[in-house]
Amino acid sequence: MEHSSASEALPRPLTPHERAILDQLLGGDFPGAAEFRVQAEHVRVVAMCGCGCDSYDVGLTDPDVPRADLPNGPIAQELAVTEPDGTYYGSIILLAHDGVLSCLDFHTWDDRPLSGLPPMEHLSVVPR
């Protein structure tokens, strides 16, 4: 992730929109979900991507939260991102490292310019 040097003070709490996306990603039953939901209550944004997509890295405020016993990489579900007409153009994935949430990444499959995270009504859960 290309990190931003924006003047926004970091670390910071998640915005309501960032929290809603995180909660949607962590809904359902998949390996590590219970541990990740506990961790999600103790995360702060520690770095932002500098490209304009609003992807971000998270850090834990409580190092004693339970860790998921999973390999490093994306969690078992992602969010499909669609246009208002339903055309699929990207996804949001949540990465974990050493059993701990580490990064929310929004990426597209074309060269469109990004200006922040997509609205909730354009997101749907997709198992990986």
Side-chain angles (χ1 to χ4, degrees):
M1 178 183 331
E2 173 188 329
H3 292 94
S4 172
S5 60
S7 61
E8 182 177 10
L10 294 172
R12 65 163 175 79
L14 273 64
T15 66
H17 187 58
E18 290 166 342
R19 171 63 58 192
I21 289 173
L22 184 62
D23 290 346
Q24 188 172 7
L25 274 164
L26 295 176
D29 185 26
F30 58 89
E35 293 88 352
F36 292 141
R37 282 193 285 273
V38 171
Q39 293 174 21
E41 297 304 316
H42 302 278
V43 296
R44 295 179 63 80
V45 174
V46 297
M48 296 292 299
C49 183
C51 80
C53 68
D54 276 357
S55 295
Y56 57 87
D57 291 345
V58 296
L60 292 174
T61 60
D62 180 356
D64 297 323
V65 296
R67 293 174 181 259
D69 185 20
L70 296 169
N72 295 341
I75 68 166
Q77 60 187 25
E78 64 185 68
L79 298 177
V81 183
T82 58
E83 295 284 7
D85 68 4
T87 303
Y88 173 72
Y89 74 90
S91 66
I92 296 177
I93 62 172
L94 186 58
L95 302 167
H97 185 77
D98 292 335
V100 175
L101 297 174
S102 63
C103 176
L104 182 136
D105 180 58
F106 169 36
H107 52 274
T108 62
W109 308 121
D110 56 22
D111 293 329
R112 72 183 63 214
L114 299 175
S115 60
L117 295 170
M120 296 301 295
E121 61 269 16
H122 293 220
L123 304 177
S124 58
V125 174
V126 178
R128 293 180 58 86

